[in-house]
Amino acid sequence: MNKTIGILAHVDAGKTTFSEGLLYHTNAIKERGRVDHKNSYLDNHEIERERGITIFSDQAVMEYKGDTYYIIDTPGHVDFSPEMERTIMVMDYAIIIISAVEGVQGHTETVWQLLKKYKTPVFFFINKMDRVGADVNRVLKEIRANLTDDVCHISNSLEELNEEIIEFMAERNEELLELYMEGKYEKNTWLSYMKKMIKDNNIYICASGSALQDKGVLEFLDNLHELTEANYNDEGFEARIYKIGHEKNGTKITYMKILRGSIKVRDEIAYKCRQDEIREKITQIRIYNGAKYRTIDSASAGQLIGVMGLSKTCAGQGLGHDLEELVYNMIPALKSKVIFDTSLNVKEVVRAFNILNEEDPSLKVTWEEELGEIHIHVMGPIQLEILERIVKDRFGLSLGFGKPSILYKESIQGEVIGYGHFEPLGHYSEVHLKIESGKRNSGIEFKNLCHTDHLTKGNQNLIKYHIYEREHRGVLTGSPLTDIKITLLTGRAHNKHTSGGDFRQATYRALRQGLEKADNVLLEPYYDFKIKVDLNHMGRVLSDIQKASGSFEPPQNKGDKAIIRGRVPVSTFMNYPNQLVAFTGGKGMINLVFGGYDICHNKDEVIESMAYDKNADMEYSSSSIFCSKGQAYVVSWQDVEEEMHCL
């Protein structure tokens, strides 16, 4: 049986050390490495060993009692959360490591919410029980208060189920309650129910120990083996790509989990890249184990593999007919400009960042040709430090990054019709688009109402392609356009003069002309926050939230603690965790999760500071180009409707 187990935690909870223990006890490694000794098996990148943190999701394979386990060690720092989220998609089960001293921390809650989103069954391991201040009962209370009340601590093996475990399960299952009332405690029956309840996310098993001292790890592994299962369908083929990598020579590696069916070398895989259908043959299949790998001829459902031969794949992509596109929670709210010396070859710099963008799509690398600038999206400053080192080590390029700034977006309120016409001599295209406001955080939706009497299906699809081929800019700050519905109403082509690129011009101009007439709004990213502080600090926190233009629900009091939930702009609150630590003496806890975009609280100030000149944007024009008597002429957006050829 193949099982994929993910190890997750707040940074420094002992996640990598725990993973080393699992590998050691299954003879996958001969001796356990340590993060502080810079010799851990899964932190095999030099930069990880130097910093003592996990940055990249790496996998190892171990055999235990007849089953094959794929262990994925994930990043624990919030700046690398997008990579963590992509790996969660392929986990059969997850283990959350919590420090017995620090307890449930801010990022622990983020991890928990992601696992709940993807319905991943969870085990808990309370680590560092050897340290001064370790308190398993306090941590269990924190888990019940902040994560789930359906957690049960198991301090020994499952050879005998004690009264506490039996009562815990009976309280959560009517069939077991009947068995309990009848005094029927047959072990295999209760273990079978336990296994199902864990898989269905009805209960969560917790153990404790010390990964560094190798206490409790083997017992945990025995229970994990007993209580997990992974059943896969051998028919059809589906897979989820969780990571993209490149060898030193530039060869692309597509890391995927096979969800159903099987594949073999020389099989042809069909998948989509943007709107294009791609068909490519697999040239090699690899099983990775840390930095090493072995090649195999075929792979089946449940296996984690690296595949060669697929050139257009991207991280997070699904292969197969039934896999829907995922909506990510961990989305960068900051952007930064790449700063590089003019002596560097621009094409080489762009090429390097395009490769990095394949590996981490959340970067959303853009090349602003008219400005000669590269912009990226990031989670935070630590990510920029790591990127600077990666670019130097992998591509030999010395560069830096500008100070991260808030990533704003734009949308509209209401509904408008946008018109675009492109007819310089020898060219012809016309597009009419209805543009209306969409639901908040819905992105861009496209609908087609154009009749084939007006435009061929091929030209209609071309317009759709141009809507989705890139992020479009708003007219207020030049920020990406979002939360709009675009409907193709009609258009026109010419049998002789319409050529490649004409509909791109007409589509862009129609979109821009509509924006000129619309009620445009500026959007900014928000955090959904949860803050837990002593009651005597509650007043200070509520005042800080109001000053930051945030909102909050009525606070909840639990003992001597206050729990405050709410919503606040990223721009005013991104540095607040450090402030909270300072005035609470490290006792305050804060969890910040990206909460999507909403109306900007200081629109005028932002528009003025960004100083975007919509008329100087060379890539977007709201005017249209017409032709009369062999001479092209420009019509401004205010007058363009009267000139349109379509009625």
Side-chain angles (χ1 to χ4, degrees):
M1 186 184 295
N2 296 314
K3 301 175 185 176
T4 301
I5 310 294
I7 318 291
L8 306 101
H10 186 97
V11 67
D12 290 334
K15 172 174 50 63
T16 300
T17 306
F18 179 84
S19 302
E20 296 280 318
L22 294 181
L23 296 174
Y24 175 74
H25 282 295
T26 56
N27 298 316
I29 57 177
K30 293 182 178 178
E31 57 183 54
R32 294 179 297 133
R34 287 179 52 163
V35 173
D36 54 342
H37 291 175
K38 301 181 181 180
N39 64 347
S40 55
Y41 185 72
L42 287 172
D43 286 345
N44 53 67
H45 300 265
E46 188 63 31
I47 192 169
E48 291 180 308
R49 293 184 171 179
E50 286 180 7
R51 286 186 168 255
I53 60 172
T54 301
I55 298 168
F56 310 100
S57 294
D58 277 312
Q59 72 182 61
V61 184
M62 65 185 198
E63 304 286 338
Y64 193 65
K65 295 184 177 180
D67 287 349
T68 300
Y69 288 84
Y70 295 88
I71 302 297
I72 305 181
D73 187 21
T74 63
H77 196 285
V78 66
D79 278 17
F80 309 104
S81 296
E83 173 129 354
M84 177 191 69
E85 182 173 9
R86 287 192 295 272
T87 61
I88 286 175
M89 301 182 303
V90 300
M91 296 176 187
D92 294 317
Y93 294 87
I95 302 169
I96 297 181
I97 310 297
I98 301 176
S99 168
V101 179
E102 284 79 16
V104 174
Q105 297 169 275
H107 193 56
T108 315
E109 290 203 43
T110 301
V111 167
W112 173 255
Q113 293 302 327
L114 284 174
L115 291 167
K116 299 310 294 173
K117 171 188 172 181
Y118 292 104
K119 300 179 181 178
T120 308
V122 174
F123 289 79
F124 292 98
F125 185 82
I126 300 174
N127 193 27
K128 302 189 177 183
M129 288 297 295
D130 56 312
R131 283 182 47 188
V132 175
D135 188 339
V136 69
N137 290 322
R138 173 179 55 80
V139 177
L140 282 168
K141 286 180 181 178
E142 291 182 7
I143 292 174
R144 292 183 179 118
N146 299 293
L147 306 182
T148 176
D149 194 45
D150 298 317
V151 62
C152 181
H153 184 255
I154 295 179
S155 57
N156 50 23
S157 71
L158 296 170
E159 286 300 317
E160 291 186 14
L161 297 178
N162 60 36
E163 187 74 14
E164 181 184 353
I165 297 172
I166 289 173
E167 288 182 359
F168 170 79
M169 293 172 61
E171 288 172 358
R172 290 158 176 81
N173 185 286
E174 291 185 7
E175 295 175 7
L176 289 179
L177 182 59
E178 288 185 19
L179 293 178
Y180 175 71
M181 299 298 290
E182 295 170 4
K184 295 179 180 179
Y185 301 147
E186 201 275 318
K187 176 189 165 188
N188 289 337
T189 300
W190 284 79
L191 282 180
S192 178
Y193 272 96
M194 184 184 288
K195 186 183 293 188
K196 185 177 187 307
M197 292 173 75
I198 290 171
K199 192 163 188 177
D200 292 342
N201 285 285
N202 294 325
I203 62 172
Y204 304 93
I205 301 303
C206 178
S208 56
S210 168
L212 187 61
Q213 301 297 326
D214 196 21
K215 299 242 171 121
V217 177
L218 182 57
E219 292 81 0
F220 180 91
L221 177 57
D222 280 328
N223 291 343
L224 179 78
H225 178 76
E226 184 80 25
L227 296 173
T228 56
E229 61 183 2
N231 301 313
Y232 293 97
N233 192 329
D234 292 332
E235 297 179 2
F237 172 74
E238 286 182 4
R240 179 71 72 182
I241 298 168
Y242 67 96
K243 188 169 73 166
I244 296 292
H246 292 85
E247 295 187 304
K248 290 182 179 180
N249 63 3
T251 303
K252 184 172 182 175
I253 312 166
T254 300
Y255 295 86
M256 66 176 72
K257 163 81 171 282
I258 303 180
L259 303 176
R260 63 184 297 167
S262 60
I263 56 171
K264 59 183 182 296
V265 175
R266 307 308 298 169
D267 275 356
E268 188 174 70
I269 300 292
Y271 62 95
K272 281 194 172 182
C273 177
R274 296 189 177 95
Q275 301 298 316
D276 297 330
E277 182 85 12
I278 307 294
R279 302 187 75 89
E280 294 179 311
K281 285 186 177 181
I282 294 173
T283 58
Q284 192 177 84
I285 302 174
R286 299 175 175 179
I287 296 286
Y288 274 87
N289 203 348
K292 300 177 181 179
Y293 67 86
R294 61 184 174 87
T295 60
I296 56 177
D297 295 326
S298 63
S300 56
Q303 289 189 280
L304 259 61
I305 57 174
V307 166
M308 321 292 281
L310 306 182
S311 63
K312 304 292 184 183
T313 48
C314 58
Q317 185 175 12
L319 303 178
H321 299 295
D322 300 326
L323 290 183
E324 59 185 23
E325 187 175 344
L326 296 169
V327 178
Y328 293 105
N329 281 36
M330 308 310 294
I331 300 174
L334 304 174
K335 65 178 179 180
S336 179
K337 183 175 76 171
V338 181
I339 300 173
F340 55 94
D341 193 274
T342 53
S343 62
L344 291 178
N345 186 324
V346 174
K347 290 183 179 179
E348 284 297 306
V349 179
V350 172
R351 186 188 71 84
F353 276 91
N354 283 338
I355 290 173
L356 294 175
N357 195 64
E358 280 189 357
E359 297 174 357
D360 183 2
S362 69
L363 288 174
K364 289 192 177 295
V365 174
T366 55
W367 163 243
E368 307 287 350
E369 191 166 1
E370 71 275 14
L371 299 174
E373 295 178 351
I374 300 171
H375 295 258
I376 61 172
H377 296 183
V378 293
M379 296 291 292
I382 300 298
Q383 185 182 5
L384 288 178
E385 292 178 21
I386 300 300
L387 276 173
E388 185 174 339
R389 173 66 182 276
I390 289 172
V391 174
K392 176 66 175 176
D393 290 351
R394 284 182 58 181
F395 306 105
L397 301 172
S398 297
L399 45 76
F401 297 93
K403 183 180 179 181
S405 59
I406 297 298
L407 179 62
Y408 293 94
K409 294 189 178 183
E410 296 184 34
S411 189
I412 69 166
Q413 292 178 333
E415 177 184 309
V416 292
I417 307 295
Y419 302 92
H421 189 94
F422 184 69
E423 192 188 357
L425 193 61
H427 297 266
Y428 188 94
S429 60
E430 183 167 303
V431 174
H432 295 199
L433 300 175
K434 179 168 74 171
I435 309 164
E436 54 190 320
S437 55
K439 292 181 180 179
R440 192 63 67 227
N441 302 299
S442 63
I444 293 180
E445 299 178 35
F446 179 83
K447 187 177 180 181
N448 186 3
L449 294 181
C450 182
H451 198 279
T452 51
D453 287 350
H454 301 150
L455 281 176
T456 65
K457 204 67 179 174
N459 284 331
Q460 293 175 24
N461 289 335
L462 199 55
I463 293 168
K464 178 181 179 180
Y465 177 84
H466 293 317
I467 292 294
Y468 284 120
E469 71 179 336
R470 62 172 300 173
E471 285 187 331
H472 300 283
R473 297 181 189 139
V475 296
L476 299 176
T477 62
S479 297
L481 197 60
T482 190
D483 299 350
I484 57 171
K485 298 178 182 177
I486 300 175
T487 304
L488 173 59
L489 300 176
T490 189
R492 183 172 289 186
H494 192 282
N495 289 335
K496 181 179 178 182
H497 297 304
T498 300
S499 58
D502 289 0
F503 274 106
R504 174 183 282 109
Q505 288 286 340
T507 301
Y508 285 11
R509 292 169 190 270
L511 182 58
R512 193 73 160 187
Q513 198 265 349
L515 293 179
E516 292 278 16
K517 300 182 292 183
D519 179 8
N520 293 274
V521 294
L522 186 65
L523 306 175
E524 67 177 331
Y526 276 72
Y527 285 135
D528 291 329
F529 66 80
K530 177 183 175 184
I531 298 173
K532 186 177 182 180
V533 291
D534 292 339
L535 286 173
N536 61 316
H537 288 128
M538 182 174 69
R540 161 75 186 268
V541 171
L542 296 180
S543 174
D544 288 346
I545 294 168
Q546 290 176 323
K547 290 177 183 176
S549 300
S551 59
F552 52 84
E553 301 170 6
Q556 296 176 296
N557 292 348
K558 289 195 175 183
D560 61 348
K561 301 289 184 182
I563 297 176
I564 307 160
R565 292 181 172 87
R567 187 170 169 81
V568 65
V570 171
S571 61
T572 60
F573 224 60
M574 57 190 298
N575 297 318
Y576 193 69
N578 293 333
Q579 298 176 33
L580 185 73
V581 168
F583 73 75
T584 64
K587 295 181 179 179
M589 188 177 78
I590 184 168
N591 175 232
L592 299 175
V593 177
F594 176 73
Y597 278 76
D598 217 328
I599 301 298
C600 181
H601 78 284
N602 59 340
K603 170 184 172 181
D604 293 339
E605 179 184 334
V606 173
I607 291 175
E608 182 180 354
S609 66
M610 294 183 75
Y612 172 67
D613 184 354
K614 63 183 181 181
N615 297 317
D617 193 327
M618 301 297 291
E619 288 193 55
Y620 285 95
S621 173
S622 55
S623 62
S624 283
I625 299 176
F626 291 82
C627 189
S628 178
K629 299 177 181 178
Q631 186 68 40
Y633 62 97
V634 177
V635 177
S636 66
W637 68 267
Q638 298 95 330
D639 305 318
V640 77
E641 294 176 38
E642 300 174 4
E643 301 271 351
M644 286 293 137
H645 293 180
C646 296
L647 299 178

